[in-house]
Amino acid sequence: MGSGVPQGSVLGPVLFLIFINEIDLGIVNWILKYADDTKIFSKICNKTSSNTLQDDLTKLVQWSLDSQMEFNIQKCKVMHIGYSNPGYKYLMDNRYLQEISDEKDLGIIYERLEVSCTQVVEACKKANRALGMISRTIKYKSKSVLLSLYKSLVRPHLEYCTPVWSPHYAKDKHMLEKVLHRFTRMVPGMIELP
Protein backbone atom coordinates (compact mmCIF):
# COMPACT_ATOMS: atom_id res chain seq x y z
CA MET A 1 0.00 0.00 0.00
CA GLY A 2 1.14 3.54 -0.32
CA SER A 3 -0.31 6.54 -2.05
CA GLY A 4 -1.08 9.93 -0.59
CA VAL A 5 1.29 9.81 2.41
CA PRO A 6 4.67 11.47 1.89
CA GLN A 7 7.43 9.06 2.86
CA GLY A 8 10.12 10.38 5.18
CA SER A 9 8.02 13.24 6.52
CA VAL A 10 7.43 13.79 10.23
CA LEU A 11 3.66 13.53 9.83
CA GLY A 12 3.83 10.63 7.38
CA PRO A 13 3.42 7.80 9.91
CA VAL A 14 0.59 9.60 11.75
CA LEU A 15 -1.26 10.35 8.51
CA PHE A 16 -0.80 6.76 7.38
CA LEU A 17 -2.24 5.43 10.65
CA ILE A 18 -5.22 7.78 10.41
CA PHE A 19 -5.73 6.76 6.80
CA ILE A 20 -5.79 3.01 7.48
CA ASN A 21 -7.61 3.30 10.81
CA GLU A 22 -10.94 2.25 9.27
CA ILE A 23 -9.59 -0.79 7.43
CA ASP A 24 -11.16 -3.14 9.98
CA LEU A 25 -14.68 -1.67 9.97
CA GLY A 26 -17.16 -4.46 9.31
CA ILE A 27 -14.52 -7.18 9.63
CA VAL A 28 -15.79 -10.14 11.67
CA ASN A 29 -12.55 -12.10 12.12
CA TRP A 30 -9.38 -11.10 13.93
CA ILE A 31 -7.24 -8.56 12.11
CA LEU A 32 -3.76 -7.37 12.99
CA LYS A 33 -2.20 -4.21 11.57
CA TYR A 34 1.51 -3.57 11.85
CA ALA A 35 2.94 -0.67 9.87
CA ASP A 36 1.89 -1.44 6.28
CA ASP A 37 1.29 -5.14 6.99
CA THR A 38 -2.21 -6.54 7.58
CA LYS A 39 -3.04 -10.03 8.78
CA ILE A 40 -6.49 -11.53 9.07
CA PHE A 41 -7.04 -14.90 10.68
CA SER A 42 -9.77 -17.18 11.93
CA LYS A 43 -10.43 -20.66 13.23
CA ILE A 44 -11.95 -22.52 10.30
CA CYS A 45 -14.02 -25.55 11.26
CA ASN A 46 -16.62 -25.63 8.49
CA LYS A 47 -17.71 -23.99 5.24
CA THR A 48 -19.63 -21.26 7.13
CA SER A 49 -16.52 -20.00 8.94
CA SER A 50 -14.61 -20.19 5.66
CA ASN A 51 -17.28 -18.09 3.93
CA THR A 52 -17.08 -15.52 6.75
CA LEU A 53 -13.33 -15.23 6.21
CA GLN A 54 -13.86 -14.90 2.45
CA ASP A 55 -16.41 -12.12 3.07
CA ASP A 56 -13.86 -10.29 5.23
CA LEU A 57 -11.24 -10.57 2.47
CA THR A 58 -13.77 -9.15 0.00
CA LYS A 59 -14.41 -6.22 2.38
CA LEU A 60 -10.67 -5.58 2.65
CA VAL A 61 -10.32 -5.49 -1.13
CA GLN A 62 -13.29 -3.11 -1.40
CA TRP A 63 -11.76 -0.85 1.27
CA SER A 64 -8.45 -0.81 -0.61
CA LEU A 65 -10.19 0.16 -3.85
CA ASP A 66 -12.27 2.87 -2.15
CA SER A 67 -9.18 4.25 -0.40
CA GLN A 68 -6.99 3.97 -3.51
CA MET A 69 -4.48 1.92 -1.53
CA GLU A 70 -4.64 -1.36 -3.37
CA PHE A 71 -3.17 -4.53 -1.92
CA ASN A 72 -0.36 -6.21 -3.80
CA ILE A 73 -2.27 -9.47 -4.28
CA GLN A 74 0.91 -11.29 -5.35
CA LYS A 75 2.28 -10.74 -1.83
CA CYS A 76 -0.93 -11.86 -0.12
CA LYS A 77 -0.78 -15.48 1.05
CA VAL A 78 -2.79 -17.98 3.01
CA MET A 79 -1.44 -20.49 5.51
CA HIS A 80 -3.59 -23.33 6.77
CA ILE A 81 -2.42 -24.16 10.29
CA GLY A 82 -3.14 -27.38 12.16
CA TYR A 83 -3.72 -31.01 11.33
CA SER A 84 -7.50 -30.83 10.93
CA ASN A 85 -7.62 -27.64 8.84
CA PRO A 86 -9.83 -28.27 5.79
CA GLY A 87 -7.61 -26.09 3.56
CA TYR A 88 -10.25 -24.02 1.77
CA LYS A 89 -9.12 -21.71 -1.02
CA TYR A 90 -9.53 -17.94 -0.75
CA LEU A 91 -9.81 -15.13 -3.30
CA MET A 92 -8.78 -11.49 -3.31
CA ASP A 93 -9.82 -9.39 -6.28
CA ASN A 94 -10.93 -12.57 -8.13
CA ARG A 95 -7.48 -14.14 -7.77
CA TYR A 96 -6.71 -17.16 -5.65
CA LEU A 97 -4.26 -16.51 -2.83
CA GLN A 98 -1.03 -18.47 -2.87
CA GLU A 99 -1.00 -21.24 -0.26
CA ILE A 100 2.23 -21.51 1.73
CA SER A 101 3.53 -24.03 4.24
CA ASP A 102 5.97 -21.72 6.06
CA GLU A 103 6.52 -18.00 6.44
CA LYS A 104 9.04 -15.75 8.18
CA ASP A 105 7.29 -12.87 9.91
CA LEU A 106 9.09 -10.34 12.11
CA GLY A 107 12.00 -12.75 12.48
CA ILE A 108 9.91 -15.78 13.50
CA ILE A 109 9.56 -18.77 11.18
CA TYR A 110 6.03 -20.17 11.23
CA GLU A 111 5.27 -23.52 9.69
CA ARG A 112 1.99 -25.10 8.76
CA LEU A 113 1.82 -27.34 11.78
CA GLU A 114 3.65 -25.25 14.40
CA VAL A 115 6.46 -22.82 15.09
CA SER A 116 9.10 -25.47 14.52
CA CYS A 117 12.65 -26.32 15.30
CA THR A 118 13.59 -24.39 12.13
CA GLN A 119 13.45 -21.30 14.37
CA VAL A 120 15.85 -22.93 16.86
CA VAL A 121 18.28 -23.90 14.09
CA GLU A 122 18.27 -20.34 12.70
CA ALA A 123 18.72 -18.79 16.17
CA CYS A 124 21.65 -21.11 16.91
CA LYS A 125 23.30 -20.35 13.54
CA LYS A 126 23.14 -16.60 14.21
CA ALA A 127 24.37 -17.02 17.79
CA ASN A 128 27.25 -19.27 16.68
CA ARG A 129 28.25 -16.75 13.99
CA ALA A 130 28.36 -14.04 16.66
CA LEU A 131 30.47 -16.30 18.91
CA GLY A 132 32.83 -16.99 16.01
CA MET A 133 33.20 -13.28 15.35
CA ILE A 134 33.96 -12.65 19.03
CA SER A 135 36.51 -15.48 19.09
CA ARG A 136 38.30 -14.21 15.95
CA THR A 137 38.32 -10.48 16.66
CA ILE A 138 38.64 -10.00 20.42
CA LYS A 139 42.20 -10.30 21.70
CA TYR A 140 41.67 -9.41 25.37
CA LYS A 141 39.37 -12.21 26.52
CA SER A 142 38.70 -11.49 30.16
CA LYS A 143 35.61 -12.95 31.79
CA SER A 144 33.89 -9.54 32.11
CA VAL A 145 34.58 -8.53 28.48
CA LEU A 146 33.36 -11.87 27.12
CA LEU A 147 30.26 -11.80 29.32
CA SER A 148 29.36 -8.30 28.11
CA LEU A 149 29.83 -9.35 24.49
CA TYR A 150 27.78 -12.52 25.02
CA LYS A 151 24.91 -10.57 26.60
CA SER A 152 24.86 -7.95 23.85
CA LEU A 153 25.74 -9.95 20.71
CA VAL A 154 24.83 -13.61 21.27
CA ARG A 155 22.02 -13.91 23.79
CA PRO A 156 19.57 -11.68 21.87
CA HIS A 157 19.61 -14.24 19.02
CA LEU A 158 18.75 -17.04 21.44
CA GLU A 159 16.03 -15.15 23.29
CA TYR A 160 14.31 -13.19 20.50
CA CYS A 161 10.53 -13.79 20.75
CA THR A 162 10.94 -16.95 22.84
CA PRO A 163 7.35 -16.70 24.14
CA VAL A 164 6.25 -17.36 20.55
CA TRP A 165 8.63 -20.15 19.60
CA SER A 166 9.48 -21.45 23.07
CA PRO A 167 11.48 -24.63 22.53
CA HIS A 168 9.67 -27.58 24.07
CA TYR A 169 11.52 -30.51 22.49
CA ALA A 170 14.60 -31.85 24.29
CA LYS A 171 16.62 -31.76 21.04
CA ASP A 172 15.87 -28.04 20.60
CA LYS A 173 16.85 -27.25 24.18
CA HIS A 174 20.05 -29.26 23.72
CA MET A 175 20.90 -27.28 20.57
CA LEU A 176 20.47 -23.98 22.45
CA GLU A 177 22.56 -25.26 25.36
CA LYS A 178 25.39 -26.18 22.96
CA VAL A 179 25.77 -22.48 22.12
CA LEU A 180 26.08 -21.65 25.83
CA HIS A 181 28.66 -24.44 26.31
CA ARG A 182 30.66 -23.10 23.36
CA PHE A 183 30.70 -19.66 24.99
CA THR A 184 31.67 -21.14 28.36
CA ARG A 185 34.70 -22.85 26.80
CA MET A 186 35.85 -19.47 25.43
CA VAL A 187 36.11 -17.99 28.94
CA PRO A 188 39.62 -18.32 30.42
CA GLY A 189 39.80 -21.00 33.10
CA MET A 190 36.55 -22.70 32.04
CA ILE A 191 37.75 -24.62 28.99
CA GLU A 192 37.97 -27.89 30.89
CA LEU A 193 34.32 -27.79 31.94
CA PRO A 194 32.13 -30.50 30.35
Side-chain angles (χ1 to χ4, degrees):
M1 291 194 239
S3 66
V5 177
Q7 288 187 340
S9 68
V10 176
L11 286 177
V14 176
L15 292 172
F16 180 76
L17 290 174
I18 291 169
F19 199 66
I20 68 161
N21 193 42
E22 295 181 351
I23 192 173
D24 53 359
L25 289 180
I27 301 295
V28 176
N29 291 294
W30 291 299
I31 187 168
L32 296 175
K33 300 178 282 187
Y34 180 77
D36 66 346
D37 195 21
T38 305
K39 291 175 182 43
I40 186 166
F41 55 98
S42 176
K43 179 179 181 180
I44 305 297
C45 9
N46 53 35
K47 191 64 177 167
T48 304
S49 54
S50 173
N51 289 340
T52 303
L53 183 58
Q54 181 59 62
D55 291 344
D56 285 348
L57 290 171
T58 304
K59 289 175 189 172
L60 285 174
V61 169
Q62 189 56 52
W63 175 87
S64 74
L65 295 172
D66 294 344
S67 303
Q68 297 179 357
M69 290 183 62
E70 295 178 26
F71 287 100
N72 184 346
I73 306 293
Q74 292 176 337
K75 289 185 176 181
C76 296
K77 303 168 189 155
V78 63
M79 181 185 291
H80 303 288
I81 298 176
Y83 291 102
S84 61
N85 192 301
Y88 294 113
K89 299 202 178 295
Y90 297 96
L91 294 163
M92 282 185 82
D93 200 20
N94 295 319
R95 286 183 271 174
Y96 283 104
L97 295 179
Q98 175 190 0
E99 294 182 19
I100 56 171
S101 59
D102 58 79
E103 178 73 10
K104 189 171 188 175
D105 185 36
L106 298 175
I108 304 295
I109 301 169
Y110 295 91
E111 291 189 342
R112 182 178 167 0
L113 301 176
E114 62 182 38
V115 178
S116 75
C117 63
T118 307
Q119 182 67 38
V120 176
V121 170
E122 288 301 312
C124 288
K125 278 183 188 175
K126 290 177 183 178
N128 277 318
R129 279 196 296 265
L131 278 177
M133 185 268 308
I134 291 169
S135 178
R136 287 187 309 275
T137 58
I138 304 301
K139 298 293 182 201
Y140 180 69
K141 294 180 176 153
S142 73
K143 190 182 293 186
S144 62
V145 168
L146 288 174
L147 191 58
S148 293
L149 289 169
Y150 177 81
K151 286 180 180 178
S152 60
L153 298 175
V154 179
R155 200 164 86 184
H157 294 297
L158 300 175
E159 295 179 355
Y160 177 73
C161 287
T162 50
V164 175
W165 61 271
S166 179
H168 48 276
Y169 296 120
K171 64 182 178 90
D172 294 339
K173 292 177 183 178
H174 178 69
M175 195 179 306
L176 292 166
E177 287 171 359
K178 280 176 65 175
V179 176
L180 180 60
H181 290 309
R182 181 179 175 200
F183 165 72
T184 308
R185 288 191 301 273
M186 290 173 58
V187 177
M190 301 184 99
I191 196 165
E192 55 279 330
L193 290 176

